[in-house]
Amino acid sequence: MKNLFSSDFKLGILGGGQLGKMMLYDTRKFDIQTYVLDPSDVAPSRIACDHFEQGSLMDFDTVYNFGKQVDVLTFEIETVNIEALEKLEQEGVQVFPQPSVLRNIQDKGVQKEFYKDNEIPTATFEKYAFAKAIPASSRSYPYIWKSCQGGYDGKGVAVIRKAEDLETLPEVPCIAEDMIPFKNELAVIVVRNVSGDVKTYPVVEMEFHPEANQVEYVICPARIDEKVAQKARAIAEKVSKAFSHVGLLAVEMFQTEDDEVLVNEVAPRPHNSGHYSIEGAFTNQFEQHLRAILDLPLGKTDSKVASVMVNLVGAEGHTGNVVYENIAEIMAMDGVTPHIYGKKETRPFRKMGHVTIVDEDLTKARAVAQEVKKKIRVIAQ
Amino acid sequence: MKNLFSSDFKLGILGGGQLGKMMLYDTRKFDIQTYVLDPSDVAPSRIACDHFEQGSLMDFDTVYNFGKQVDVLTFEIETVNIEALEKLEQEGVQVFPQPSVLRNIQDKGVQKEFYKDNEIPTATFEKYAFAKAIPASSRSYPYIWKSCQGGYDGKGVAVIRKAEDLETLPEVPCIAEDMIPFKNELAVIVVRNVSGDVKTYPVVEMEFHPEANQVEYVICPARIDEKVAQKARAIAEKVSKAFSHVGLLAVEMFQTEDDEVLVNEVAPRPHNSGHYSIEGAFTNQFEQHLRAILDLPLGKTDSKVASVMVNLVGAEGHTGNVVYENIAEIMAMDGVTPHIYGKKETRPFRKMGHVTIVDEDLTKARAVAQEVKKKIRVIAQ
């Protein structure tokens, strides 16, 4: 077996945002040599990698030349040049998750057809060349419009309540999808290593703000019936098997009013819904991703304690040098750990960090999370 | 309150070994700007700090000039130039733990007298200008000889079984100390922040190899009577109060045959006996040290799960580029996390890393630790 630890082995990571930064804690823990490529010269990952390069993730030559230097190449964001990854793979660089997986995920139309072809339960949909091509008769309002390309963090998604809503949408290939009245939004992270070993993490639940329709808390374990949890894990494993990915696959799902579980979308990388695992799980998602792509044995996915995760996003009306108001106050609460991503400038709704709250008792962790959410504000100086 | 996170605030760390490296994971998590000074240009901390300087920790000017750049200065090793720290403190740099604490610790003779003056239980001792000055009549064999300066990792300590054993010892100030027949060697980490809040971690136990008289496992919680555990924590708190340190203080103790608890020695920094806390505790010792010296609220010191820690030291007869033999095999075991310090070259007994084993059930963790210890070997290529 190849010697990965304190050796000449080189791991490349496309993207230097917070996911890459958190992954680097674990490459450091294992003393694995890392190369990072990111378009920004102030990327959060800049510190803690061995070699940093500034450049476009969508440019063929940049990605190809970067990838040629390393033994294994991975990514922390899906919007990367797939052609370059395919060429690198052909030339012997190990690219995980594989470019073929990314091909089935990057385009949301292709991703939805992949579910249909593999008999994976998902909301009914149709593909269109552009939004105005969606006939008024096609489905009842409200329904969901999604851009096939480039959707991320809620961008490229819209709720269509009447025909006129289509008019302001960009002229890009898209899908129209039934809007699912759901009880819960759930997620399961599946990990698969090069040898084909597979493990699933416990089901997490996104708790929404009652009015704002925005995820407020990511809760592990989900407060759902054990049968539904088993079903969600089984479906996530089925999705994982269909993709045959190497690395993490975060599977986002809806639990419908009648306890069906439908796949919404997947991300082939560490995921916001898995951040709790740093404090909560026996093996955090970032270490697990490394174990998988380096073909090491997978770690235990169980939780040590219950967890609630709260995202820290920039407050509305604040742009400029960031201040985390009341951060000391939340650190005084039991089991609270803030994670600051290292972006110097805040903007409204920008993801600036997250806070994990852990406790043996989930109800207590949830109560503390509410206090955290009330206290801390991400504002500009 | 000063803004520490993603700000211009600067933390300096003297020493760039594994303790500093692990502390940097947490400065990165909080996005605190760091300056590191170490004599070696391949120090494990070199990656992940914002600014690295190569230079002697014992040289007044080097330490003084380094310290002038930062707002708060700490250290991960005690052998640093105290005069420079004192001058920096006088000039307004916050130095934690305080130079006055280091004055009472760096010299083992002074440290022992400090215990006597503060009525802290410790083994009976006498100070001498050099080993040969110890009269044969002073105490019964065997007893312990310790060099006042520079002892570290078992260096500067000897068991004296007969008068002739003194002859080969270096001609330096020293102490002679009664050898305590102990049941257990225990340690308690105490943390105190600038505001004076104090917390203690659970008692850990060093389990020795039955023949080699070498620590094999650090076990948390210690498998001792609850009354003894309470006594150990109370004594550690008394020691902490006497020193009035800011930051971590690791208090090493003996549990005697008749369940007395005697203080052996202390370290004012993150400590090997606290490495388990990364996976085992609600707040790991490195984050806790940062909270203390930055005057943030202290985190919860309880354990999430039981832990056993095994040091990875270089195998005898092996010098050269390191290989961690069977590391994949130990990673296949439940709850096992290796930490590789990032030293490229192994030498006999060099501390190269450690492995933490966690489980809800301590007996199970201890059994897995034994398998880990049997499997892994730190050898040269």
Side-chain angles (χ1 to χ4, degrees), chain A residues 15 47 63-64 95 98 104 114 153 185 234 311 330 352 363:
Chain A
I47 299 173
V63 172
Y64 174 77
V95 183
Q98 310 90 314
N104 281 322
F114 181 85
D153 274 352
E185 200 171 321
N311 284 311
I330 70 162
M352 300 296 288
T363 315

Side-chain angles (χ1 to χ4, degrees), chain A residues 201-207 217-223 272-282 301-310 334-337 354-369, chain B residues 282 304:
Chain A
Y201 276 86
V203 185
V204 302
E205 165 200 353
M206 325 297 169
E207 184 183 333
Y217 307 104
V218 176
I219 294 176
C220 182
R223 296 161 300 179
N272 198 263
S273 67
H275 288 350
Y276 82 89
S277 63
I278 297 176
E279 285 81 14
F282 277 90
T301 55
D302 297 350
S303 292
K304 293 172 190 167
V305 280
S307 310
V308 180
M309 193 279 289
V310 174
D334 261 1
V336 170
T337 309
H354 74 262
V355 181
T356 311
I357 301 96
V358 293
D359 200 288
E360 285 93 352
D361 176 359
L362 178 57
T363 315
K364 232 175 115 184
R366 174 62 184 74
V368 173
Chain B
F282 277 91
K304 293 171 187 167

